[in-house]
Amino acid sequence: MQVNDNRSGWGKAYLTGAFVLAGTSVITGRLLGQHLGTFTIQAGSLGIMLAVLLPLYGGRIIRAVSGMSRDQWAGILLQAFFGMFAFRCFLLYGLPLTSAGEAGVLLGTTPAITALLARLVLKEPLYQGAVRGILCTVAGLALIQGGGGSLSWSHAAGNLLVLGAAASEALFNLLAKNRQSLDAIRNKELHPMVQTFLVSAAAFLFSLLPAIAERPVQELAACGFREWMALVWYGLVVTAVSYALFYRGVKRCDPYVTAAFSGVAPLTSMLVAVWLLQEQLGWKQWLGGGFIMLGISLIGSRAQGKLSVIAKV
């Protein structure tokens, strides 16, 4: 029992670190989006990460690739598409239309979406805490979306795009957890950094062709030191370190714990946006964010005790 407690404790620590770093993606994306195209940001940051990781883990990567099955490759491609490519497309297209702080709050819907998908896709039991958390999330969204009478159509579209990013992240969480469980059963688990490399390489290929249409060479040549440091941060920290910690954590925790801890990312985004970008959020946004954070806590309450089951497998 103690071993399982330690395993879960380390899993929560890994997830906390992963989502704190992931939360900085909103600020980094806002900065880079002022100078570079969406696909150039993806291809550039991932290219930097791949160039650094390949010499360090080349041997492990070659050995892992040689023994991978077809369904493992399918899992890698799906994680790359939803967890990196689609998530960043939605987020980077949505950020210019809404505030970074509000985007951070909206990403807090990820746990509620994850909980719903865990029930629908993985047939996980839906507990009272999860139901209440989902309802709190819906209430928070209603407050944020109605946060001002002057809300424009473009602002609403930006919020919807950010919600698309949250849905993509939720799908990624479930895909990664399901893939980890299957690989553990078959004793074919990938090293976290190898898995991060392969998922990133697939996402890099997804973004490479669209990036060419954005004239990336000219855009990158015009970047200053700050923009290059942001690309390095996006590639090495937000992607490499964050995803490696996530893969370590997700195999030690169930989907509801993972969903709850994913709320650390939007909280980080919101606080950093207010602190660094000096953005101002209205009382409805703060209250809506409070409802979403309460929802995150309720969704994660499964890990704190046994609650009655609303729906069973």
Side-chain angles (χ1 to χ4, degrees), residues 223-310:
C223 284
F225 178 78
R226 187 177 67 163
E227 288 73 37
W228 277 104
M229 288 300 97
L231 273 176
V232 170
W233 179 269
Y234 211 1
L236 295 184
V237 180
V238 175
T239 305
V241 179
S242 175
Y243 277 78
L245 290 173
F246 172 82
Y247 285 126
R248 286 185 181 276
V250 75
K251 68 180 180 181
R252 293 169 169 84
C253 300
D254 69 24
Y256 286 106
V257 173
T258 303
F261 274 80
S262 67
V264 173
L267 180 61
T268 301
S269 298
M270 182 175 66
L271 294 177
V272 174
V274 172
W275 176 46
L276 283 184
L277 302 182
Q278 303 296 309
E279 289 191 353
Q280 300 296 319
L281 296 178
W283 69 269
K284 288 187 178 180
Q285 279 81 13
W286 282 108
L287 184 59
F291 269 106
I292 289 173
M293 295 306 161
L294 176 59
I296 290 167
S297 177
L298 289 169
I299 291 167
S301 63
R302 178 188 182 191
Q304 300 169 9
K306 293 182 179 179
L307 301 173
S308 61
V309 176
I310 299 297

Side-chain angles (χ1 to χ4, degrees), residues 40 114 124 182 269:
T40 300
T114 304
E124 289 279 339
L182 289 174
S269 298

Side-chain angles (χ1 to χ4, degrees), residues 32-113:
L32 290 172
Q34 298 170 358
H35 304 275
L36 299 171
T38 296
F39 300 107
T40 300
I41 294 171
Q42 291 204 58
S45 60
L46 291 173
I48 291 170
M49 190 219 73
L50 295 173
V52 171
L53 289 192
L54 185 59
L56 297 176
Y57 294 93
R60 283 180 180 267
I61 293 166
I62 293 170
R63 289 192 295 272
V65 167
S66 63
M68 284 176 60
S69 64
R70 182 177 297 178
D71 71 324
Q72 277 184 309
W73 277 113
I76 291 292
L77 291 173
L78 286 171
Q79 289 174 54
F81 183 81
F82 289 109
M84 289 190 187
F85 182 73
F87 172 81
R88 294 182 182 192
C89 283
F90 280 123
L91 183 63
L92 292 171
Y93 277 120
L95 277 173
L97 304 176
T98 188
S99 70
E102 199 164 324
V105 175
L106 290 169
L107 287 177
T109 60
T110 298
I113 299 172

